[in-house]
Amino acid sequence: MGDGAYAGDWPPPAGLKGSGALVRVQASLAGAEQYTCLHRAESKARPAAWPPMRPNHPKGRLEDFVLGLVVVAVRLVECDGVASDEALRRVLDRAERPLHRAQQRYVRHALGSWLQRDRPTGAPPVIPQPLPWVAAKEQDGRQWELTAWGLQHHNPGRRLREFSFLSFGSVRDRDVKAARVAIAAYAAAFGEPAEQGEKPGHPYRLCGAEQVDQVRVALTGLHDGSYRLLFEGTPEQARAYYEEHGKGRVAELTRGGPATPGKTCTDCRRLTTCEAPRRLPGLLGIPSARTPRPLRHVSASDLRYYNRCPAQYLAYSQNLPRTGEYSPENLLGKAVHAHLETNHGGVIAPCAAHDMPWADTEWGDEPHRMKGEFARTGSRMLAQHLNLCPFNNENVTDVQIEPRLAFYDTAANVIVLAKPDMLYQDDGSPVWREIKTTQSDDTFRGDPFTYDPQLALAVVLLAEGALDGDPKGARVELEVLRPDSGDPLVVEPYHEPERVAKARRLLYSYAEPWRSDEVFTPKPGRHCRICPVSEWCGSALKEANGER
């Protein structure tokens, strides 16, 4: 182990200035590969390196790191002996930015859930450790640090350490990748309690080694207090687990790679110089502001949530737990989508009758397993797809199933996210296909490309030339599957400027109120009674009780 001294100068990654001598990998950086931008990870692991042009994005009005406040409250209670109510009062009063009422309710609930968490009675007793464990060493002139963010506890008498990851909801809803567990286990086994460096980008100040004989890594759900043990073993077992699951991932994250634009663009220091999110100023129709605005990300679904209720959008964007989010009809639609995704994910060949489930059998994988009448209805919907399958067209190439797309509207200062059901090329032109299921004859009638924000966004993106290929043949396809019919609806932006103009107006009507809102006031109504996040909203509770 190194002594925490700052290592000598080392060149930063290309496009950054400062020093690359400090390499710090947090366990949170080692998330799911498909969501990881290696371009961002490379710079995030170099806290002393910055791009020549630093982003000038002000913070939003409201707090956006709720779990951080939960941790502060837990430490006040466990380490300082402060009563729960007083700890909450201090946290809310001292927060750098105000909290939305939904956030306040969640912090209060999460603190109670932690203090009453379902840690097994037979588990070794532990006491809190307020400082993170940081495993540090010097190698090849660089200072390496491995650590994890969460809550630390230990039992000095038994030489035991337990690190806890935190989940907004339940442990049943959270899949913690082995690489993250491995980094946390290694830091707990070989790290020292450490304080933040004197300045940002400086190494941790290590506070002295301790003997460790046993390491535990757990996950706690802050909605229901659920608990799951992810790793338990000796330091040598933690080392072996890290060698198998963590070491290669750390190397991948620190050496960088191609950019994968998405939500993480909003906190990436390299955004000003990164070309991966295509710049489309004016995409949302919002003019540039005279003063800088906070950088946000948004999808068409986000805009729908906001239009229904700004507080619901806020709760969703803050990852507050949801209850009863999907109706049986929603789950049926997801099952149909999942089945078609599987069919289309292999060789480009038209779907055939033998690719579809029989009407009288159960089908689909959990949590979208269809039974009984829903299985029969979904089977009939899938049968309608046979004549609409895009692979009936021999000119289809370059198929992408549910690709994650991101575009940067520099005028609105917004990363716009989209995930088509399918993208492909038809004779060199891009085609964006969405698939919708419904049992109603009235749904998706008229011109849905000009009243559905998801479809309107697709139309505007193709009109902007946001996708590679010949724009003259570009089109957005909507495949509507009903039990007894399947309707193909199409718009060709290059040839239909009036429909494009309507789509732009619709997108602006959804995006402009969202962009200018900083308080996200609830909009009570009948939807409150089925709102998945009503638990965190006082207005929804009043609506459910008939109060005004």
Side-chain angles (χ1 to χ4, degrees):
M1 293 296 169
D3 60 4
Y6 193 72
D9 188 28
W10 191 276
L16 299 176
K17 65 179 183 178
S19 173
L22 175 62
V23 182
R24 177 182 298 153
V25 178
Q26 287 264 7
S28 58
L29 200 58
E33 287 83 352
Q34 65 268 35
Y35 305 130
T36 299
C37 175
L38 294 177
H39 196 62
R40 168 181 173 269
E42 180 187 30
S43 62
K44 196 170 181 65
R46 269 80 172 183
W50 288 87
M53 296 174 55
R54 297 195 182 194
N56 183 27
H57 306 304
K59 292 183 178 180
R61 178 178 177 180
L62 297 177
E63 176 61 52
D64 60 3
F65 186 32
V66 177
L67 284 187
L69 299 181
V70 175
V71 167
V72 173
V74 168
R75 286 174 175 159
L76 283 172
V77 173
E78 293 189 338
C79 300
D80 299 341
V82 178
S84 297
D85 289 344
E86 174 63 15
L88 287 167
R89 187 191 67 77
R90 292 187 191 180
V91 166
L92 298 180
D93 287 349
R94 298 176 187 176
E96 180 181 346
R97 290 175 283 169
L99 274 72
H100 192 277
R101 287 187 177 181
Q103 295 173 311
Q104 294 179 23
R105 284 176 177 269
Y106 178 75
V107 172
R108 182 175 294 106
H109 179 93
L111 174 59
S113 292
W114 170 267
L115 296 177
Q116 300 176 38
R117 66 193 185 282
D118 190 25
R119 189 170 184 266
T121 56
V126 290
I127 59 175
Q129 163 57 265
L131 297 177
W133 294 306
V134 178
K137 69 175 181 179
E138 290 186 22
Q139 182 175 333
D140 299 329
R142 283 185 285 186
Q143 177 80 8
W144 288 77
E145 296 177 346
L146 291 181
T147 185
W149 185 88
L151 284 165
Q152 298 80 220
H153 291 76
H154 63 159
N155 185 322
R158 297 181 60 168
R159 297 178 177 178
L160 174 144
R161 287 178 173 179
E162 179 170 312
F163 174 83
S164 296
F165 287 108
L166 303 177
S167 169
F168 279 95
S170 171
V171 298
R172 295 187 300 272
D173 307 325
R174 178 79 180 277
D175 176 28
V176 183
K177 297 301 179 183
R180 297 186 67 184
V181 177
I183 294 170
Y186 188 91
F190 301 104
E192 298 180 30
E195 297 176 340
Q196 292 285 346
E198 295 179 3
K199 297 179 181 180
H202 279 214
Y204 277 99
R205 295 194 299 269
L206 304 182
C207 300
E210 302 171 324
Q211 183 66 41
V212 180
D213 291 340
Q214 187 178 13
V215 170
R216 291 164 59 94
V217 177
L219 172 68
T220 296
L222 296 178
H223 189 201
D224 58 3
S226 53
Y227 177 98
R228 185 167 84 232
L229 188 63
L230 304 174
F231 174 86
E232 183 173 27
T234 65
E236 287 309 310
Q237 288 172 321
R239 187 194 302 276
Y241 193 81
Y242 174 77
E243 291 285 337
E244 180 179 359
H245 298 287
K247 187 175 181 179
R249 184 67 171 142
V250 167
E252 181 182 33
L253 294 167
T254 55
R255 67 171 170 256
T260 306
K263 290 182 180 181
T264 55
C265 289
T266 55
D267 73 350
C268 181
R269 295 176 296 178
R270 302 176 92 165
L271 178 62
T272 53
T273 57
C274 180
E275 299 179 356
R278 184 170 295 186
R279 268 64 171 171
L280 294 175
L283 173 63
L284 299 177
I286 300 172
S288 300
R290 292 184 177 180
T291 58
R293 291 181 286 203
L295 177 62
R296 294 180 179 176
H297 61 74
V298 75
S299 67
S301 295
D302 292 330
L303 294 177
R304 281 202 306 268
Y305 300 144
Y306 178 86
N307 187 60
R308 183 185 304 134
C309 174
Q312 184 188 72
Y313 157 77
L314 186 281
Y316 280 10
S317 69
Q318 291 294 296
N319 298 311
L320 302 192
R322 310 178 193 184
T323 303
E325 182 176 6
Y326 300 116
S327 68
E329 290 75 17
N330 294 145
L331 293 175
L332 172 59
K334 287 182 172 295
V336 170
H337 273 80
H339 191 87
L340 291 177
E341 180 181 353
T342 299
N343 280 8
H344 296 151
V347 178
I348 299 179
C351 291
H354 61 76
D355 297 318
M356 302 303 179
W358 292 95
D360 58 351
T361 61
E362 295 182 9
W363 56 274
D365 298 325
E366 296 294 348
H368 308 132
R369 182 101 180 140
M370 291 294 105
K371 304 175 183 178
E373 187 59 34
F374 283 102
R376 288 187 285 273
T377 300
S379 178
R380 291 166 60 193
M381 289 176 173
L382 287 167
Q384 307 303 321
H385 172 77
L386 296 178
N387 290 330
L388 303 176
C389 180
F391 295 168
N392 290 326
N393 179 355
E394 296 180 354
N395 294 323
V396 167
T397 59
D398 303 309
V399 177
Q400 301 177 65
I401 305 299
E402 296 195 352
R404 297 177 182 274
L405 310 178
F407 307 92
Y408 188 11
D409 183 340
T410 51
N413 203 27
V414 173
I415 302 294
V416 181
L417 308 172
K419 189 173 73 168
D421 288 333
M422 181 186 295
L423 276 184
Y424 63 90
Q425 296 272 319
D426 180 3
D427 199 21
S429 292
V431 181
W432 180 310
R433 176 172 286 220
E434 295 290 345
I435 301 172
K436 304 291 186 182
T437 60
T438 179
Q439 298 183 57
S440 169
D441 290 335
D442 298 327
T443 308
F444 300 111
R445 297 301 185 189
D447 190 357
F449 300 98
T450 59
Y451 66 72
D452 182 297
Q454 181 186 30
L455 297 171
L457 175 60
V459 169
V460 173
L461 284 169
L462 289 188
E464 291 282 335
L467 302 180
D468 295 333
D470 183 359
K472 294 182 180 180
R475 64 183 184 271
V476 182
E477 301 177 331
L478 172 61
E479 177 181 337
V480 182
L481 299 179
R482 299 181 175 87
D484 298 313
S485 64
D487 296 331
L489 305 174
V490 177
V491 61
E492 298 176 288
Y494 186 85
H495 302 287
E496 301 179 78
E498 291 184 1
R499 297 175 80 184
V500 173
K502 289 181 180 179
R504 290 187 187 278
R505 288 195 293 271
L506 177 79
L507 193 56
Y508 172 81
S509 72
Y510 274 76
E512 195 283 329
W514 165 83
R515 172 70 269 192
S516 59
D517 195 350
E518 292 191 3
V519 295
F520 307 103
T521 303
K523 188 167 67 176
R526 294 179 60 186
H527 54 267
C528 293
R529 302 178 187 185
I530 58 172
C531 176
V533 289
S534 60
E535 179 179 0
W536 317 114
C537 180
S539 297
L541 298 176
K542 292 179 181 179
E543 176 68 25
N545 293 327
E547 302 175 23
R548 295 292 180 186

Coordinates of all heavy atoms in Angstrom, one line a residue, residues 1 3 36 95-96 108 125 128 138 177 207 269 301 340 346 393 446 457 460 474 518 522 538 541 543:
M1 N 0.8 -1.2 0.0 CA 0.0 0.0 0.0 C 0.9 1.2 0.0 O 1.9 1.3 0.7 CB -0.9 0.0 1.2 CG -2.0 -1.0 1.2 SD -3.1 -0.8 -0.2 CE -4.0 -2.4 -0.1
D3 N 1.5 5.4 0.7 CA 1.2 6.2 1.9 C 0.3 7.4 1.6 O 0.0 8.2 2.4 CB 2.5 6.8 2.5 CG 3.3 7.6 1.5 OD1 2.7 7.9 0.4 OD2 4.4 8.0 1.8
T36 N -22.2 2.1 -20.1 CA -21.0 2.7 -19.7 C -20.3 3.4 -20.9 O -20.2 2.8 -22.0 CB -20.0 1.7 -19.1 OG1 -20.5 1.1 -18.0 CG2 -18.7 2.4 -18.8
A95 N -28.9 21.4 3.6 CA -28.7 21.0 2.3 C -28.2 22.2 1.4 O -28.7 23.3 1.6 CB -30.0 20.4 1.7
E96 N -27.3 21.9 0.5 CA -26.8 23.0 -0.4 C -27.9 23.7 -1.2 O -27.9 24.9 -1.4 CB -25.7 22.4 -1.3 CG -25.1 23.5 -2.2 CD -24.1 22.9 -3.1 OE1 -23.6 21.7 -2.9 OE2 -23.7 23.5 -4.1
R108 N -36.9 11.0 4.5 CA -37.4 10.6 5.9 C -37.7 9.1 5.9 O -37.3 8.4 6.8 CB -38.6 11.4 6.1 CG -39.3 11.1 7.5 CD -40.4 12.1 7.8 NE -40.0 13.4 7.9 CZ -40.2 14.4 7.0 NH1 -40.8 14.1 5.9 NH2 -39.8 15.6 7.2
P125 N -22.3 -8.6 14.7 CA -22.6 -7.2 15.1 C -21.5 -6.3 14.6 O -20.4 -6.6 14.5 CB -22.6 -7.3 16.6 CG -21.8 -8.5 17.0 CD -22.0 -9.4 15.9
P128 N -20.7 1.7 13.2 CA -20.4 2.5 12.0 C -19.0 2.9 11.9 O -18.3 3.2 12.9 CB -21.3 3.7 12.2 CG -21.6 3.8 13.7 CD -21.6 2.4 14.2
E138 N 1.1 3.0 -5.2 CA 1.8 3.7 -6.3 C 2.4 2.6 -7.2 O 2.9 1.6 -6.8 CB 3.0 4.5 -5.7 CG 2.5 5.7 -5.0 CD 3.7 6.6 -4.6 OE1 4.8 6.5 -5.2 OE2 3.6 7.4 -3.6
K177 N -23.6 -5.4 -10.4 CA -22.7 -6.1 -11.2 C -21.5 -6.6 -10.4 O -21.0 -6.0 -9.4 CB -22.1 -5.2 -12.3 CG -23.2 -4.8 -13.3 CD -23.9 -6.0 -14.0 CE -25.0 -5.6 -14.9 NZ -25.7 -6.8 -15.5
C207 N -5.7 7.2 6.9 CA -5.7 7.4 8.3 C -5.2 6.2 9.1 O -5.5 6.1 10.3 CB -7.1 7.8 8.8 SG -7.7 9.3 8.0
R269 N -17.2 15.7 -18.0 CA -16.4 16.9 -18.2 C -15.9 17.1 -19.6 O -15.4 18.1 -20.0 CB -15.2 16.8 -17.2 CG -15.5 16.8 -15.7 CD -14.3 16.6 -14.9 NE -13.7 15.3 -15.0 CZ -12.7 14.9 -14.4 NH1 -12.0 15.7 -13.6 NH2 -12.2 13.7 -14.6
S301 N -40.6 10.0 -23.2 CA -41.3 9.6 -22.0 C -41.3 10.6 -20.9 O -42.3 10.8 -20.2 CB -40.8 8.2 -21.6 OG -41.0 7.2 -22.5
L340 N -40.9 -9.9 -30.0 CA -40.4 -9.4 -31.3 C -39.0 -9.1 -31.3 O -38.2 -9.3 -32.2 CB -41.3 -8.2 -31.7 CG -42.7 -8.6 -32.1 CD1 -43.5 -7.3 -32.5 CD2 -42.8 -9.6 -33.2
G346 N -31.7 -11.8 -34.4 CA -30.7 -12.8 -35.0 C -30.5 -12.5 -36.5 O -30.3 -11.4 -36.9
N393 N -39.0 -7.1 -46.4 CA -38.4 -6.3 -47.4 C -36.9 -6.7 -47.6 O -36.2 -6.7 -46.6 CB -38.4 -4.8 -46.9 CG -37.8 -3.8 -47.9 OD1 -37.2 -4.2 -48.9 ND2 -37.9 -2.6 -47.6
G446 N -56.2 8.9 -36.5 CA -55.8 10.3 -36.9 C -54.4 10.3 -37.3 O -53.9 9.4 -38.0
L457 N -40.9 13.3 -32.0 CA -39.4 13.4 -31.8 C -38.8 12.6 -33.0 O -37.8 13.1 -33.6 CB -39.0 12.9 -30.5 CG -37.5 12.8 -30.2 CD1 -36.8 14.2 -30.4 CD2 -37.2 12.2 -28.9
V460 N -39.0 14.7 -36.2 CA -38.1 15.8 -36.2 C -36.7 15.4 -36.3 O -35.9 16.1 -37.0 CB -38.3 16.7 -34.9 CG1 -37.3 17.8 -34.8 CG2 -39.7 17.2 -34.9
A474 N -35.9 8.7 -46.0 CA -36.1 8.4 -44.6 C -37.5 8.4 -44.2 O -38.3 9.2 -44.8 CB -35.3 9.5 -43.8
E518 N -38.5 24.9 -12.7 CA -37.4 24.5 -11.7 C -38.0 24.1 -10.4 O -37.2 23.8 -9.5 CB -36.5 25.7 -11.5 CG -35.6 26.0 -12.7 CD -34.5 27.0 -12.4 OE1 -34.4 27.4 -11.2 OE2 -33.8 27.4 -13.3
P522 N -46.9 19.8 -8.1 CA -47.8 18.7 -8.4 C -49.0 19.2 -9.2 O -49.5 20.4 -9.0 CB -48.2 18.1 -7.1 CG -47.1 18.5 -6.2 CD -46.6 19.8 -6.7
G538 N -47.7 14.6 -1.2 CA -48.8 15.0 -0.4 C -50.1 15.3 -1.2 O -51.2 15.1 -0.7
L541 N -52.0 12.3 -2.1 CA -52.7 11.7 -1.0 C -54.0 12.5 -0.7 O -55.1 11.9 -0.4 CB -51.8 11.7 0.2 CG -50.6 10.9 0.1 CD1 -49.7 11.0 1.4 CD2 -50.9 9.4 -0.1
E543 N -55.7 14.1 -3.0 CA -56.6 13.8 -4.1 C -57.3 12.5 -3.9 O -58.5 12.4 -4.1 CB -55.8 13.8 -5.4 CG -56.6 13.4 -6.6 CD -57.7 14.5 -7.0 OE1 -57.5 15.6 -6.7 OE2 -58.7 14.1 -7.7

